Amino acid sequence: MEIDSGSSHFTDFRSSDSNPNSGECMNPMVVNAFPVSMIHSGGNVEGEGELRMEPSVGLEFDSADEAREFYGLYAMRVGFKIRTGQLYRSRRDGSVSSRRFVCSKEGFQLNSRTGCPAFIRVQRRDSGKWVIDQIQKDHNHELGLEGESGSPVSQQGPPVVTKSLVEVLRRPKVKMLGQIDNGVLSPSGIINFKKHKRGGDGRQSIAEPYTGLEFNAANEAYEYYQTYAKSVGFRVRIGQLFRSKNDGSITSRRFVCSKEGFQHPSRVGCGAFMRIKRKDSGSWMVDRLNKDHNHDLEVQMAYEKKFSAASKKFIEEETNGMVSMELSEMNSSKIAKRSRENKIGTDWYPVLLEYFQTRQAEETGFFYSVEVDNGSCRSVFWGDGRSRYSCSQFGDVIVFDTSYRKSNYSVPFATFVGVNHHKQPVLLGSALIANESKECFTWLFQTWFKAMSRCRPKSIIADQDMAIQQAIAEVFPGTHHRFSSWQIRAKERENLRSMPIEFRYEYEKCIYESQTTVEFNTTWNSLINKYNLKGNVWLQHMYDKRESWVPLYLRGKFFAGIPIGESVESFFGTQVNGQTTLREFIPQYEQGLDQRREEERKEDFNSFNLQAFSQTKEAIEEQCRRLYTFTIFKIFQDELQQSYSYIGIKTYEEGTICRYLVRQSGNENDKHAVTFSAVNLTVNCSCQMFEFEGVLCRHVLKVFKLLNIRELPSQYILPRWLRNAEYRILCRAESGVSSQELKALMVWSLRETACKYVECGTTSVEKYKLAHEIMREGGKKMY
């Protein structure tokens, strides 16, 4: 779309085959241009002309309030609410230079918010006009109906309401679709949901859509199709709209199954839809229809399927045996209340149980556990032998990933993820979370701890919620809890949005540039006093918890180099998330897991069979080249090369203790203190890279070169970064684990090795013979 930013007109391009949500446009046609001032004309905005403009980059307004009002009207029509987002000020005079208006579900500060990305941003031009320069129309939640009770616009101050908007809100509602009830049209002409008949299976029945069915308005058709979809067992999205070439008014609309298209892994290209067309009389008629779906329908699937006796028991436990209870009755009962608290549909338990039993029969190392409360199933945890073995090697740092909370999720799927010796994410367990209470998280952490041979992590990255904090403190005392970066950012946007840009600049400088605790405390207190924020409860709370999120306090804790301030990538990416349906969950879960493990096998092969190039020819580099994996050696090699651009100066010496100042040549600001003890060759640097990542920094390597230390002391080569890190069973034997736990580790280790022989040996007859011979000869030495 091209728009003249200096004009008070805009041109709207639409295609008869375009999807307004996707941003794609085919066969464009030019529609009449309308002046921006028509937004606030005294005429009826929603009248006969059906003038409904959509926000677009380049659209101009006389003021920011006018832009907000326009976006509010658009939101009302589409079916969402808005809030005023961030504002940006000019560095020259402090005046507001741009504003964001966002969907009310933006952010994660409330349970009702889903982190919706939809917004418009308007920027003030030199002419005084405000122009949309950024826009995102896609929502990550279902849109409501036009004309819902209550204003869709979430006001944060006295709204600027034009006469046309008042007229729209005061206009009496149009009568809705006449309902067929016992063959007679409802005299009110309004769909009466309480009068829907029920079929023999307990579902609500509604008149089937058909070509020629008429409605008084488009929103009536949408509401009808939603009700029909609910009774049949699918969800609805708003699809394409089509406009008149003459006046730009909407002439037809499509309502599609939520699984239409392939833009999301949960979508399967379903072709079911209903299209309505506006007649000359002003009414709307169904002119195209497809009722066929290419996927299973969801309503009462848990009750209509026949499960095994064990699976059925799970359902009866959750529903107190009322398997035949009507869905509508359950929604108003105590069972529905418990289900909402649980967030896991009863149909998940029997399917997962069957999967667990199958895996356990195939692999003795597979573990699963189900939390039971008053006879009802709640949280679920599981992990295979590979995950349990990986935890024994890489369970020192874990990420408790609850990224399902970022969006409007169907199933609360969470993962325990570690970092392997190639710095790849490795799965350490999976779970479905019943609710977000302390008791639920405590059960989950205790179960993980028990399943993983009681491997206590040094550090854990998880959300800031009080329930999670309390559970970690109870189950993992001494483990350092680092807050998730995405949640910190979300809370900052919510709590600091009204602050001037100068405050944000000083705030971030305090957090990310402070080098000592004294400097941080001084700068923070100065900031609070300068902006009179002593009474800000959120800032005080974040200061109290500074050791869990401020980089300065985290640098001295081991996190395997997981960057501070960056969100951790989900282990399964988009393959498995909170929106994944039951039918897709298990195959996509296994596919994602196999893909990750194949990537790990490739790195294992490369590390054992390929040699990295040496850059300096020094003995210390050759030592690490032999020991480290490719990934870790590259990190070390870069630090070694960078050390050549640094200068080391001895500043203190007493007995066996020496202190050096190491600074970058030509950069006085890049300097660090390195302390060395000759007694046991211990060293530490103020940058704390080794403490955080487990690899020595350029500053220490510079001092080693000055001291002519040609090999790294053994204490500075972490076994977890070695090529053979997966086989460090003897290291575990020295850590005090029980004989039973040690035996389990040896079983998993040997099984992993045997699996690799099996996989390679079955690729050809020749390799099968070779693998069989190797194992037979090896067996002779053991007996």
Side-chain angles (χ1 to χ4, degrees):
M1 184 181 293
E2 296 182 0
I3 299 166
D4 182 0
S5 60
S7 170
S8 63
H9 293 67
F10 76 98
T11 304
D12 194 3
F13 293 82
R14 289 292 183 270
S15 164
S16 60
D17 294 310
S18 67
N19 185 335
N21 295 325
S22 67
E24 297 177 357
C25 188
M26 299 174 62
N27 302 324
M29 61 182 180
V30 180
V31 182
N32 290 349
F34 302 99
V36 173
S37 58
M38 287 185 68
I39 299 172
H40 303 293
S41 64
N44 192 341
V45 175
E46 309 242 344
E48 295 178 1
E50 187 106 6
L51 175 59
R52 298 185 173 194
M53 293 176 291
E54 296 202 0
S56 57
V57 174
L59 188 58
E60 285 190 354
F61 303 91
D62 292 331
S63 66
D65 287 332
E66 187 177 282
R68 186 183 191 281
E69 183 187 342
F70 164 76
Y71 194 47
L73 286 169
Y74 165 75
M76 181 190 300
R77 185 174 75 252
V78 173
F80 65 98
K81 301 177 183 179
I82 70 167
R83 290 187 292 111
T84 300
Q86 298 150 307
L87 60 81
Y88 307 90
R89 296 181 180 273
S90 168
R91 294 189 177 183
R92 291 178 298 179
D93 56 12
S95 61
V96 178
S97 59
S98 63
R99 302 200 70 138
R100 280 170 55 101
F101 304 116
V102 301
C103 174
S104 63
K105 291 184 179 292
E106 182 265 353
F108 303 94
Q109 294 75 20
L110 301 176
N111 291 334
S112 60
R113 298 187 185 175
T114 64
C116 181
F119 76 97
I120 64 169
R121 191 179 83 165
V122 290
Q123 190 171 42
R124 190 186 64 197
R125 296 289 172 86
D126 293 338
S127 62
K129 298 282 187 181
W130 292 76
V131 181
I132 296 179
D133 68 330
Q134 291 184 15
I135 187 170
Q136 171 61 265
K137 292 186 180 180
D138 294 335
H139 298 259
N140 65 358
H141 56 90
E142 292 185 0
L143 299 178
L145 295 178
E146 182 181 349
E148 288 179 335
S149 61
S151 171
V153 183
S154 176
Q155 303 285 1
Q156 294 186 354
V160 180
V161 183
T162 62
K163 180 180 179 182
S164 59
L165 176 59
V166 175
E167 289 174 352
V168 170
L169 296 177
R170 289 180 179 175
R171 190 188 321 148
K173 293 184 178 179
V174 182
K175 289 185 178 180
M176 301 187 74
L177 169 69
Q179 177 196 348
I180 300 176
D181 192 1
N182 291 326
V184 181
L185 287 175
S186 171
S188 67
I190 298 176
I191 297 177
N192 188 340
F193 294 97
K194 295 181 180 179
K195 290 185 179 180
H196 282 294
K197 295 182 181 179
R198 299 189 183 279
D201 58 357
R203 297 185 197 173
Q204 290 181 338
S205 62
I206 185 173
E208 292 270 338
Y210 58 88
T211 303
L213 185 60
E214 290 194 18
F215 305 89
N216 289 330
N219 70 303
E220 295 172 14
Y222 178 58
E223 185 172 4
Y224 161 79
Y225 195 52
Q226 274 199 319
T227 307
Y228 164 74
K230 184 178 180 181
S231 69
V232 173
F234 67 98
R235 297 185 179 90
V236 175
R237 285 191 295 111
I238 297 176
Q240 298 119 317
L241 59 83
F242 310 101
R243 295 181 180 272
S244 167
K245 292 183 179 181
N246 298 323
D247 59 6
S249 61
I250 298 175
T251 57
S252 63
R253 303 201 71 138
R254 277 170 59 101
F255 307 120
V256 301
C257 174
S258 62
K259 292 184 178 292
E260 181 265 352
F262 299 94
Q263 297 85 357
H264 188 276
S266 65
R267 298 185 185 176
V268 295
C270 181
F273 76 95
M274 183 179 82
R275 194 178 88 161
I276 55 173
K277 188 173 184 179
R278 193 183 66 193
K279 301 174 66 176
D280 293 339
S281 62
S283 63
W284 295 75
M285 181 186 72
V286 177
D287 71 327
R288 292 186 185 179
L289 181 67
N290 184 357
K291 297 181 185 179
D292 297 331
H293 298 261
N294 65 353
H295 56 91
D296 292 335
L297 299 179
E298 298 175 1
V299 169
Q300 292 189 330
M301 287 176 63
Y303 310 118
E304 293 170 354
K305 290 183 177 180
K306 295 182 180 179
F307 296 109
S308 63
S311 300
K312 187 175 181 181
K313 182 181 178 182
F314 269 92
I315 298 178
E316 291 176 344
E317 286 175 349
E318 183 64 14
T319 62
N320 289 336
M322 293 181 286
V323 177
S324 61
M325 174 175 275
E326 291 178 342
L327 188 62
S328 59
E329 293 176 6
M330 288 183 65
N331 287 337
S332 61
S333 69
K334 294 180 180 179
I335 293 175
K337 182 179 180 181
R338 186 171 68 229
S339 181
R340 282 194 297 271
E341 291 174 353
N342 192 302
K343 300 176 183 175
I344 308 171
T346 55
D347 48 346
W348 282 77
Y349 294 108
V351 174
L352 286 174
L353 175 64
E354 184 176 350
Y355 169 67
F356 295 159
Q357 291 174 338
T358 302
R359 288 299 314 277
Q360 203 167 52
E362 297 171 348
E363 178 192 347
T364 57
F366 189 89
F367 176 94
Y368 74 91
S369 181
V370 180
E371 181 190 21
V372 178
D373 181 31
N374 294 325
S376 298
C377 303
R378 292 166 56 79
S379 297
V380 184
F381 172 83
W382 70 96
D384 61 6
R386 176 65 180 172
S387 291
R388 299 174 74 184
Y389 178 63
S390 295
C391 190
S392 69
Q393 312 306 310
F394 310 115
D396 47 1
V397 176
I398 63 173
V399 179
F400 180 52
D401 183 4
T402 54
S403 55
Y404 70 86
R405 307 170 72 196
K406 297 181 185 179
S407 61
N408 187 18
Y409 59 92
S410 301
V411 178
F413 174 63
T415 54
F416 293 85
V417 180
V419 179
N420 69 7
H421 51 323
H422 305 297
K423 281 213 164 184
Q424 296 171 315
V426 56
L427 188 65
L428 306 179
S430 305
L432 296 183
I433 300 176
N435 58 48
E436 296 175 351
S437 65
K438 177 200 171 186
E439 293 73 22
C440 176
F441 289 121
T442 299
W443 175 88
L444 188 58
F445 294 152
Q446 287 174 340
T447 304
W448 179 87
F449 184 55
K450 177 174 63 177
M452 301 303 166
S453 299
R454 302 188 177 277
C455 296
R456 191 180 304 277
K458 296 179 180 178
S459 306
I460 181 171
I461 300 175
D463 289 348
Q464 185 184 352
D465 297 52
M466 185 56 66
I468 295 180
Q469 294 184 53
Q470 292 172 346
I472 291 175
E474 179 177 331
V475 182
F476 303 128
T479 295
H480 196 86
H481 177 192
R482 169 175 145 191
F483 296 157
S484 302
S485 297
W486 75 266
Q487 198 181 43
I488 292 292
R489 287 301 185 189
K491 289 182 180 293
E492 286 177 342
R493 288 194 298 269
E494 175 68 15
N495 291 278
L496 305 179
R497 64 174 52 195
S498 61
M499 297 294 182
I501 193 170
E502 292 82 2
F503 170 83
R504 289 299 304 249
Y505 173 76
E506 294 178 44
Y507 169 84
E508 294 195 1
K509 185 176 180 180
C510 170
I511 292 169
Y512 296 106
E513 296 184 17
S514 296
Q515 297 299 317
T516 65
T517 56
V518 173
E519 181 184 354
F520 174 81
N521 291 329
T522 302
T523 307
W524 180 277
N525 291 328
S526 175
L527 191 64
I528 297 299
N529 292 330
K530 178 179 179 180
Y531 291 91
N532 194 26
L533 296 172
K534 289 184 178 180
N536 191 302
V537 177
W538 182 79
L539 284 173
Q540 181 59 49
H541 174 72
M542 295 305 291
Y543 178 77
D544 294 339
K545 294 290 184 179
R546 58 191 179 278
E547 293 185 358
S548 293
W549 66 283
V550 176
L552 169 66
Y553 293 90
L554 295 173
R555 285 203 299 259
K557 308 297 181 181
F558 184 70
F559 283 100
I562 299 175
I564 301 173
E566 295 183 18
S567 296
V568 179
E569 179 188 0
S570 173
F571 181 84
F572 289 96
T574 58
Q575 286 181 302
V576 177
N577 54 56
Q579 298 297 322
T580 304
T581 63
L582 174 58
R583 183 176 65 87
E584 301 166 326
F585 182 81
I586 292 174
Q588 291 192 8
Y589 173 89
E590 292 203 314
Q591 181 183 352
L593 187 56
D594 289 343
Q595 182 178 327
R596 286 290 195 182
R597 287 177 176 173
E598 178 60 29
E599 293 170 358
E600 184 176 1
R601 280 191 286 268
K602 289 179 180 178
E603 285 300 316
D604 280 340
F605 178 86
N606 291 339
S607 289
F608 276 108
N609 295 280
L610 302 176
Q611 286 287 333
F613 288 106
S614 179
Q615 299 290 340
T616 66
K617 307 301 181 182
E618 291 192 23
I620 201 170
E621 182 185 27
E622 181 60 27
Q623 175 196 17
C624 293
R625 188 166 72 105
R626 292 194 316 268
L627 298 175
Y628 284 145
T629 61
F630 263 3
T631 303
I632 302 304
F633 175 69
K634 289 296 183 184
I635 295 172
F636 172 82
Q637 190 178 55
D638 181 64
E639 292 298 315
L640 182 61
Q641 288 181 289
Q642 292 294 334
S643 69
Y644 288 99
S645 63
Y646 281 76
I647 300 171
I649 304 172
K650 184 185 293 186
T651 59
Y652 172 85
E653 182 175 6
E654 182 177 345
T656 59
I657 305 296
C658 298
R659 185 173 295 126
Y660 293 83
L661 175 66
V662 181
R663 64 176 178 84
Q664 188 176 29
S665 179
N667 185 359
E668 292 292 334
N669 295 322
D670 185 1
K671 54 187 178 182
H672 293 276
V674 177
T675 304
F676 175 78
S677 173
V679 175
N680 47 9
L681 298 181
T682 57
V683 64
N684 62 74
C685 177
S686 59
C687 79
Q688 297 181 302
M689 178 176 171
F690 180 79
E691 288 79 2
F692 182 79
E693 190 164 357
V695 178
L696 283 177
C697 63
R698 59 195 67 178
H699 317 112
V700 169
L701 294 177
K702 184 64 182 181
V703 171
F704 278 2
K705 188 172 181 62
L706 293 175
L707 296 173
N708 198 30
I709 296 176
R710 300 175 59 82
E711 285 195 348
L712 294 186
S714 59
Q715 65 265 35
Y716 296 111
I717 301 179
L718 295 191
R720 73 167 342 274
W721 295 136
L722 302 182
R723 294 185 182 186
N724 62 345
E726 290 186 305
Y727 310 102
R728 295 180 296 111
I729 298 300
L730 294 179
C731 295
R732 296 287 295 169
E734 299 170 359
S735 62
V737 300
S738 67
S739 59
Q740 184 178 1
E741 292 169 346
L742 179 60
K743 182 178 180 180
L745 292 173
M746 291 190 291
V747 168
W748 293 334
S749 177
L750 291 172
R751 182 185 290 116
E752 285 299 312
T753 304
C755 284
K756 292 177 181 179
Y757 273 101
V758 171
E759 290 174 5
C760 185
T762 54
T763 56
S764 67
V765 175
E766 290 74 16
K767 288 187 177 181
Y768 164 77
K769 292 179 180 179
L770 177 61
H772 193 276
E773 183 66 24
I774 291 173
M775 288 189 288
R776 187 173 62 181
E777 291 299 320
K780 291 179 181 179
K781 297 179 181 180
M782 297 182 65
Y783 296 106

